[in-house]
mmCIF file of all heavy atoms in Angstrom:
data_model
loop_
_atom_site.group_PDB
_atom_site.id
_atom_site.type_symbol
_atom_site.label_atom_id
_atom_site.label_comp_id
_atom_site.label_asym_id
_atom_site.label_seq_id
_atom_site.Cartn_x
_atom_site.Cartn_y
_atom_site.Cartn_z
ATOM 1 N N ARG A 6 -4.021 -3.100 -12.231
ATOM 2 C CA ARG A 6 -3.242 -2.306 -13.164
ATOM 3 C C ARG A 6 -1.753 -2.083 -12.764
ATOM 4 O O ARG A 6 -0.924 -2.082 -13.656
ATOM 5 C CB ARG A 6 -4.012 -0.993 -13.317
ATOM 6 C CG ARG A 6 -3.574 0.008 -14.171
ATOM 7 C CD ARG A 6 -4.491 1.263 -14.215
ATOM 8 N NE ARG A 6 -4.571 1.714 -12.830
ATOM 9 C CZ ARG A 6 -5.496 2.547 -12.485
ATOM 10 N NH1 ARG A 6 -6.308 3.173 -13.520
ATOM 11 N NH2 ARG A 6 -5.670 3.028 -11.301
ATOM 12 N N SER A 8 -0.283 0.834 -11.452
ATOM 13 C CA SER A 8 0.294 2.051 -11.712
ATOM 14 C C SER A 8 1.137 2.577 -10.519
ATOM 15 O O SER A 8 2.175 3.264 -10.628
ATOM 16 C CB SER A 8 -0.558 3.091 -12.232
ATOM 17 O OG SER A 8 -1.455 3.608 -11.286
ATOM 18 N N ASN A 9 0.678 2.287 -9.335
ATOM 19 C CA ASN A 9 1.388 2.790 -8.084
ATOM 20 C C ASN A 9 2.673 1.912 -7.863
ATOM 21 O O ASN A 9 3.603 2.436 -7.503
ATOM 22 C CB ASN A 9 0.366 2.580 -6.870
ATOM 23 C CG ASN A 9 -0.539 3.809 -6.597
ATOM 24 O OD1 ASN A 9 0.076 4.831 -6.324
ATOM 25 N ND2 ASN A 9 -1.776 3.656 -6.959
ATOM 26 N N PRO A 103 -7.676 5.913 -2.135
ATOM 27 C CA PRO A 103 -8.128 7.181 -2.842
ATOM 28 C C PRO A 103 -9.128 7.947 -2.183
ATOM 29 O O PRO A 103 -10.169 8.227 -2.736
ATOM 30 C CB PRO A 103 -8.590 6.628 -4.225
ATOM 31 C CG PRO A 103 -9.187 5.240 -3.871
ATOM 32 C CD PRO A 103 -8.368 4.703 -2.704
ATOM 33 N N THR A 114 -14.879 5.758 -4.005
ATOM 34 C CA THR A 114 -14.540 6.961 -3.283
ATOM 35 C C THR A 114 -14.815 8.264 -4.200
ATOM 36 O O THR A 114 -15.336 9.231 -3.675
ATOM 37 C CB THR A 114 -13.200 7.042 -2.784
ATOM 38 O OG1 THR A 114 -12.277 6.868 -3.805
ATOM 39 C CG2 THR A 114 -12.999 5.946 -1.758
ATOM 40 N N HIS A 115 -14.539 8.141 -5.451
ATOM 41 C CA HIS A 115 -14.566 9.310 -6.330
ATOM 42 C C HIS A 115 -16.161 9.767 -6.559
ATOM 43 O O HIS A 115 -16.443 10.858 -6.543
ATOM 44 C CB HIS A 115 -13.829 9.017 -7.700
ATOM 45 C CG HIS A 115 -12.397 8.506 -7.386
ATOM 46 N ND1 HIS A 115 -11.577 9.373 -6.795
ATOM 47 C CD2 HIS A 115 -11.819 7.423 -7.704
ATOM 48 C CE1 HIS A 115 -10.411 8.579 -6.650
ATOM 49 N NE2 HIS A 115 -10.596 7.454 -7.230
ATOM 50 N N ARG A 116 -16.897 8.719 -6.853
ATOM 51 C CA ARG A 116 -18.369 8.902 -7.140
ATOM 52 C C ARG A 116 -18.946 9.468 -5.843
ATOM 53 O O ARG A 116 -19.618 10.488 -5.906
ATOM 54 C CB ARG A 116 -19.018 7.659 -7.446
ATOM 55 C CG ARG A 116 -20.560 7.753 -7.663
ATOM 56 C CD ARG A 116 -21.282 6.389 -7.931
ATOM 57 N NE ARG A 116 -21.097 5.342 -6.863
ATOM 58 C CZ ARG A 116 -21.733 5.447 -5.769
ATOM 59 N NH1 ARG A 116 -22.520 6.586 -5.395
ATOM 60 N NH2 ARG A 116 -21.576 4.536 -4.869
ATOM 61 N N ILE A 119 -18.072 13.232 -5.142
ATOM 62 C CA ILE A 119 -18.854 14.093 -5.988
ATOM 63 C C ILE A 119 -20.360 14.243 -5.413
ATOM 64 O O ILE A 119 -20.882 15.262 -5.227
ATOM 65 C CB ILE A 119 -18.832 13.550 -7.430
ATOM 66 C CG1 ILE A 119 -17.490 13.889 -8.113
ATOM 67 C CG2 ILE A 119 -19.946 14.512 -8.301
ATOM 68 C CD1 ILE A 119 -17.227 13.185 -9.454
ATOM 69 N N HIS A 126 -10.791 16.493 -2.098
ATOM 70 C CA HIS A 126 -10.639 15.076 -2.200
ATOM 71 C C HIS A 126 -9.131 14.806 -2.371
ATOM 72 O O HIS A 126 -8.321 15.702 -2.545
ATOM 73 C CB HIS A 126 -11.456 14.682 -3.493
ATOM 74 C CG HIS A 126 -11.513 13.151 -3.701
ATOM 75 N ND1 HIS A 126 -11.978 12.330 -2.727
ATOM 76 C CD2 HIS A 126 -11.505 12.464 -4.805
ATOM 77 C CE1 HIS A 126 -11.973 11.084 -3.124
ATOM 78 N NE2 HIS A 126 -11.755 11.141 -4.387
ATOM 79 N N GLY A 127 -8.726 13.551 -2.436
ATOM 80 C CA GLY A 127 -7.355 13.215 -2.596
ATOM 81 C C GLY A 127 -7.172 11.759 -2.293
ATOM 82 O O GLY A 127 -7.905 10.873 -2.411
ATOM 83 N N CYS A 128 -5.962 11.568 -1.715
ATOM 84 C CA CYS A 128 -5.499 10.178 -1.475
ATOM 85 C C CYS A 128 -4.667 10.138 -0.126
ATOM 86 O O CYS A 128 -4.064 11.241 0.279
ATOM 87 C CB CYS A 128 -4.597 9.577 -2.513
ATOM 88 S SG CYS A 128 -3.360 10.648 -3.172
ATOM 89 N N LEU A 148 -6.714 17.716 -3.578
ATOM 90 C CA LEU A 148 -7.021 18.707 -4.684
ATOM 91 C C LEU A 148 -8.460 19.196 -4.423
ATOM 92 O O LEU A 148 -9.310 18.717 -3.645
ATOM 93 C CB LEU A 148 -6.908 17.946 -6.018
ATOM 94 C CG LEU A 148 -7.653 16.590 -6.235
ATOM 95 C CD1 LEU A 148 -9.064 16.640 -6.232
ATOM 96 C CD2 LEU A 148 -7.116 16.015 -7.527
ATOM 97 N N ARG A 151 -13.737 19.977 -8.816
ATOM 98 C CA ARG A 151 -14.231 20.965 -9.803
ATOM 99 C C ARG A 151 -15.623 20.473 -10.063
ATOM 100 O O ARG A 151 -16.051 19.387 -10.065
ATOM 101 C CB ARG A 151 -13.389 20.927 -11.112
ATOM 102 C CG ARG A 151 -11.985 21.346 -10.873
ATOM 103 C CD ARG A 151 -11.249 21.313 -12.284
ATOM 104 N NE ARG A 151 -9.832 21.365 -12.114
ATOM 105 C CZ ARG A 151 -8.908 20.795 -12.804
ATOM 106 N NH1 ARG A 151 -9.352 19.971 -13.788
ATOM 107 N NH2 ARG A 151 -7.700 20.954 -12.676
ATOM 108 N N ASP A 153 -17.024 20.341 -13.007
ATOM 109 C CA ASP A 153 -17.208 19.468 -14.141
ATOM 110 C C ASP A 153 -16.475 18.089 -13.990
ATOM 111 O O ASP A 153 -16.330 17.319 -14.855
ATOM 112 C CB ASP A 153 -16.668 20.134 -15.433
ATOM 113 C CG ASP A 153 -15.208 20.556 -15.248
ATOM 114 O OD1 ASP A 153 -14.652 20.482 -14.183
ATOM 115 O OD2 ASP A 153 -14.706 20.985 -16.333
ATOM 116 N N ASP A 154 -15.985 17.851 -12.724
ATOM 117 C CA ASP A 154 -15.440 16.508 -12.547
ATOM 118 C C ASP A 154 -16.402 15.388 -12.630
ATOM 119 O O ASP A 154 -17.458 15.430 -11.891
ATOM 120 C CB ASP A 154 -14.834 16.401 -11.051
ATOM 121 C CG ASP A 154 -13.309 16.878 -10.975
ATOM 122 O OD1 ASP A 154 -12.690 16.708 -11.929
ATOM 123 O OD2 ASP A 154 -12.843 17.422 -10.001
ATOM 124 N N SER A 155 -16.046 14.339 -13.266
ATOM 125 C CA SER A 155 -16.850 13.113 -13.292
ATOM 126 C C SER A 155 -16.050 12.167 -12.360
ATOM 127 O O SER A 155 -14.871 12.399 -12.178
ATOM 128 C CB SER A 155 -16.921 12.485 -14.676
ATOM 129 O OG SER A 155 -15.663 12.243 -15.046
ATOM 130 N N PRO A 156 -16.678 11.060 -11.872
ATOM 131 C CA PRO A 156 -15.835 10.170 -11.096
ATOM 132 C C PRO A 156 -14.674 9.620 -11.979
ATOM 133 O O PRO A 156 -13.550 9.550 -11.250
ATOM 134 C CB PRO A 156 -16.887 8.958 -10.922
ATOM 135 C CG PRO A 156 -18.160 9.509 -11.062
ATOM 136 C CD PRO A 156 -18.128 10.659 -11.968
ATOM 137 N N GLU A 157 -14.715 9.504 -13.211
ATOM 138 C CA GLU A 157 -13.600 9.075 -14.013
ATOM 139 C C GLU A 157 -12.442 10.027 -14.029
ATOM 140 O O GLU A 157 -11.269 9.742 -13.850
ATOM 141 C CB GLU A 157 -13.942 8.689 -15.408
ATOM 142 C CG GLU A 157 -14.832 7.396 -15.491
ATOM 143 C CD GLU A 157 -16.351 7.728 -15.065
ATOM 144 O OE1 GLU A 157 -16.782 9.005 -15.131
ATOM 145 O OE2 GLU A 157 -17.011 6.809 -14.586
ATOM 146 N N ILE A 158 -12.873 11.290 -14.222
ATOM 147 C CA ILE A 158 -11.803 12.429 -14.295
ATOM 148 C C ILE A 158 -11.129 12.618 -12.898
ATOM 149 O O ILE A 158 -9.910 12.699 -12.872
ATOM 150 C CB ILE A 158 -12.548 13.707 -14.821
ATOM 151 C CG1 ILE A 158 -12.976 13.628 -16.295
ATOM 152 C CG2 ILE A 158 -11.456 14.962 -14.670
ATOM 153 C CD1 ILE A 158 -13.735 14.746 -16.819
ATOM 154 N N LEU A 159 -12.005 12.548 -11.977
ATOM 155 C CA LEU A 159 -11.512 12.698 -10.623
ATOM 156 C C LEU A 159 -10.488 11.613 -10.287
ATOM 157 O O LEU A 159 -9.447 11.814 -9.683
ATOM 158 C CB LEU A 159 -12.627 12.781 -9.562
ATOM 159 C CG LEU A 159 -12.469 13.291 -8.185
ATOM 160 C CD1 LEU A 159 -11.742 14.709 -8.326
ATOM 161 C CD2 LEU A 159 -13.752 13.469 -7.504
ATOM 162 N N ALA A 160 -10.890 10.296 -10.668
ATOM 163 C CA ALA A 160 -9.910 9.212 -10.378
ATOM 164 C C ALA A 160 -8.658 9.441 -11.044
ATOM 165 O O ALA A 160 -7.553 9.170 -10.372
ATOM 166 C CB ALA A 160 -10.684 7.930 -10.898
ATOM 167 N N ARG A 161 -8.568 9.959 -12.259
ATOM 168 C CA ARG A 161 -7.333 10.284 -12.989
ATOM 169 C C ARG A 161 -6.607 11.329 -12.254
ATOM 170 O O ARG A 161 -5.221 11.138 -12.051
ATOM 171 C CB ARG A 161 -7.669 10.608 -14.408
ATOM 172 C CG ARG A 161 -7.746 9.533 -15.414
ATOM 173 C CD ARG A 161 -7.371 10.001 -16.874
ATOM 174 N NE ARG A 161 -8.277 11.021 -17.346
ATOM 175 C CZ ARG A 161 -9.517 10.775 -17.811
ATOM 176 N NH1 ARG A 161 -9.958 9.544 -17.810
ATOM 177 N NH2 ARG A 161 -10.274 11.711 -18.220
ATOM 178 N N ARG A 162 -7.274 12.311 -11.890
ATOM 179 C CA ARG A 162 -6.491 13.502 -11.308
ATOM 180 C C ARG A 162 -5.967 12.999 -9.898
ATOM 181 O O ARG A 162 -4.843 13.303 -9.405
ATOM 182 C CB ARG A 162 -7.440 14.676 -10.892
ATOM 183 C CG ARG A 162 -7.929 15.265 -12.336
ATOM 184 C CD ARG A 162 -8.965 16.386 -12.066
ATOM 185 N NE ARG A 162 -8.296 17.433 -11.250
ATOM 186 C CZ ARG A 162 -9.016 18.122 -10.310
ATOM 187 N NH1 ARG A 162 -10.262 17.827 -10.075
ATOM 188 N NH2 ARG A 162 -8.272 18.960 -9.705
ATOM 189 N N VAL A 163 -6.729 12.130 -9.055
ATOM 190 C CA VAL A 163 -6.243 11.649 -7.818
ATOM 191 C C VAL A 163 -5.094 10.724 -8.089
ATOM 192 O O VAL A 163 -4.128 10.625 -7.220
ATOM 193 C CB VAL A 163 -7.355 11.061 -6.957
ATOM 194 C CG1 VAL A 163 -6.844 10.298 -5.795
ATOM 195 C CG2 VAL A 163 -8.343 12.170 -6.567
ATOM 196 N N LEU A 164 -5.148 9.830 -9.051
ATOM 197 C CA LEU A 164 -4.154 8.932 -9.306
ATOM 198 C C LEU A 164 -2.774 9.584 -9.497
ATOM 199 O O LEU A 164 -1.726 9.077 -9.002
ATOM 200 C CB LEU A 164 -4.472 8.026 -10.549
ATOM 201 C CG LEU A 164 -3.666 6.741 -10.675
ATOM 202 C CD1 LEU A 164 -3.866 5.727 -9.652
ATOM 203 C CD2 LEU A 164 -4.039 6.046 -12.029
ATOM 204 N N ALA A 165 -2.781 10.738 -10.222
ATOM 205 C CA ALA A 165 -1.499 11.411 -10.522
ATOM 206 C C ALA A 165 -0.989 11.809 -9.070
ATOM 207 O O ALA A 165 0.294 11.849 -8.851
ATOM 208 C CB ALA A 165 -1.762 12.666 -11.301
ATOM 209 N N LEU A 166 -1.835 12.195 -8.148
ATOM 210 C CA LEU A 166 -1.404 12.565 -6.786
ATOM 211 C C LEU A 166 -0.783 11.214 -6.067
ATOM 212 O O LEU A 166 0.181 11.334 -5.357
ATOM 213 C CB LEU A 166 -2.440 13.148 -5.897
ATOM 214 C CG LEU A 166 -3.163 14.438 -6.489
ATOM 215 C CD1 LEU A 166 -4.086 14.977 -5.394
ATOM 216 C CD2 LEU A 166 -2.083 15.514 -6.677
ATOM 217 N N GLU A 167 -1.497 10.237 -6.256
ATOM 218 C CA GLU A 167 -1.113 8.861 -5.541
ATOM 219 C C GLU A 167 0.418 8.637 -6.014
ATOM 220 O O GLU A 167 1.159 8.199 -5.127
ATOM 221 C CB GLU A 167 -1.888 7.793 -5.950
ATOM 222 C CG GLU A 167 -3.398 7.824 -5.457
ATOM 223 C CD GLU A 167 -4.272 6.675 -5.919
ATOM 224 O OE1 GLU A 167 -3.715 5.568 -5.897
ATOM 225 O OE2 GLU A 167 -5.501 6.915 -5.983
ATOM 226 N N HIS A 168 0.716 8.772 -7.286
ATOM 227 C CA HIS A 168 1.948 8.434 -7.781
ATOM 228 C C HIS A 168 3.107 9.258 -7.154
ATOM 229 O O HIS A 168 4.274 8.936 -7.040
ATOM 230 C CB HIS A 168 1.962 8.535 -9.335
ATOM 231 C CG HIS A 168 1.130 7.539 -10.022
ATOM 232 N ND1 HIS A 168 0.722 7.694 -11.203
ATOM 233 C CD2 HIS A 168 0.466 6.389 -9.379
ATOM 234 C CE1 HIS A 168 -0.160 6.607 -11.505
ATOM 235 N NE2 HIS A 168 -0.275 5.947 -10.502
ATOM 236 N N ARG A 169 2.748 10.475 -6.674
ATOM 237 C CA ARG A 169 3.700 11.258 -6.058
ATOM 238 C C ARG A 169 3.761 10.933 -4.496
ATOM 239 O O ARG A 169 4.827 10.909 -3.898
ATOM 240 C CB ARG A 169 3.192 12.799 -6.064
ATOM 241 C CG ARG A 169 4.033 13.544 -7.070
ATOM 242 C CD ARG A 169 3.708 15.043 -6.993
ATOM 243 N NE ARG A 169 2.793 15.528 -6.128
ATOM 244 C CZ ARG A 169 1.906 16.535 -6.559
ATOM 245 N NH1 ARG A 169 1.935 16.876 -7.833
ATOM 246 N NH2 ARG A 169 1.041 17.093 -5.738
#
Side-chain angles (χ1 to χ4, degrees):
R6 180 179 52 188
S8 71
N9 276 291
T114 57
H115 309 300
R116 179 184 61 71
I119 293 171
H126 186 45
C128 51
L148 48 69
R151 298 179 190 145
D153 57 353
D154 269 327
S155 63
E157 294 72 26
I158 292 173
L159 200 48
R161 268 204 300 281
R162 295 177 60 219
V163 170
L164 194 64
L166 299 184
E167 292 183 32
H168 296 162
R169 254 191 356 225

